[in-house]
Amino acid sequence: MLEGWLDYHRQTLAQKCEGLTDTQLRTASVEPSELTLMGLVRHMAEVERGWFCQVLMDDDPGPIYFSEEDPDGEFHLTETDTWEEAYATWQAEIDIARRNAAGFGLDDLSKGRSRRSGEQFNLRWILTHMIEEYARHNGHADLVRERIDGATGD
């Protein structure tokens, strides 16, 4: 059930981005915010990597888009950033997340720990947190999409 809800929210974010150009996907919600649909997808790629690689597996492949100098780098888009790259990266991180999670039972503790709290989490907690993370950002995505072309929905 948890994996099903997580997949539902992953698909919802993808649907919010369907049918838009790269320029539209780089369109910010409202000034001064830099929140864009492409930025949200890049952010979720980072979140997938953080929870399913760093915390769950204790593997740190490093950040994709952000750095110490630019901790919100996934949201700082340029004209050269493309949906094709952002989507492919996000899907690759989802595939890795699924493979990593498949090796754990719901109550098995992560091999790694949270950078913020130093805590270990079981897979059930991580899946529940990821559902919450996607649900929150899908609300943001709904508002951004509505601003771009008036489309609303799940």
Side-chain angles (χ1 to χ4, degrees):
M1 183 183 303
L2 293 173
E3 289 172 348
W5 276 109
L6 180 53
D7 283 340
Y8 168 80
H9 282 291
R10 287 168 170 156
Q11 291 166 2
T12 299
L13 182 56
Q15 290 170 347
K16 295 291 174 195
C17 300
E18 284 179 356
L20 297 176
T21 66
D22 281 9
T23 300
Q24 289 172 313
L25 290 162
R26 286 191 297 266
T27 300
S29 57
V30 63
E31 292 182 3
S33 175
E34 295 180 284
L35 187 64
T36 66
L37 291 170
M38 193 182 303
L40 284 170
V41 165
R42 288 167 37 131
H43 174 69
M44 291 313 300
E46 295 279 14
V47 172
E48 294 273 358
R49 179 176 280 199
W51 283 105
F52 289 104
C53 289
Q54 294 169 345
V55 176
L56 188 64
M57 300 302 293
D58 198 23
D59 177 30
D60 189 358
I64 305 166
Y65 300 108
F66 72 87
S67 64
E68 284 187 30
E69 298 79 30
D70 188 5
D72 294 321
E74 66 265 38
F75 294 110
H76 299 150
L77 303 174
T78 69
E79 292 298 316
T80 62
D81 293 313
T82 67
W83 172 247
E84 182 178 357
E85 183 281 325
Y87 183 80
T89 299
W90 178 46
Q91 292 305 301
E93 292 302 320
I94 289 170
D95 289 343
I96 292 166
R98 286 185 178 125
R99 282 195 306 273
N100 289 348
F104 283 77
L106 287 176
D107 294 319
D108 292 346
L109 284 178
S110 61
K111 294 178 181 180
R113 296 176 180 274
S114 165
R115 289 184 186 188
R116 289 184 183 166
S117 68
E119 290 179 75
Q120 286 180 285
F121 297 93
N122 63 33
L123 180 59
R124 182 186 318 273
W125 189 97
I126 292 170
L127 291 170
T128 302
H129 174 71
M130 290 297 294
I131 292 165
E132 177 274 329
E133 182 88 13
Y134 271 99
R136 180 167 21 104
H137 289 312
N138 282 340
H140 298 137
D142 197 42
L143 293 171
V144 175
R145 179 65 189 249
E146 185 177 13
R147 180 187 184 276
I148 292 169
D149 68 358
T152 61
D154 285 353

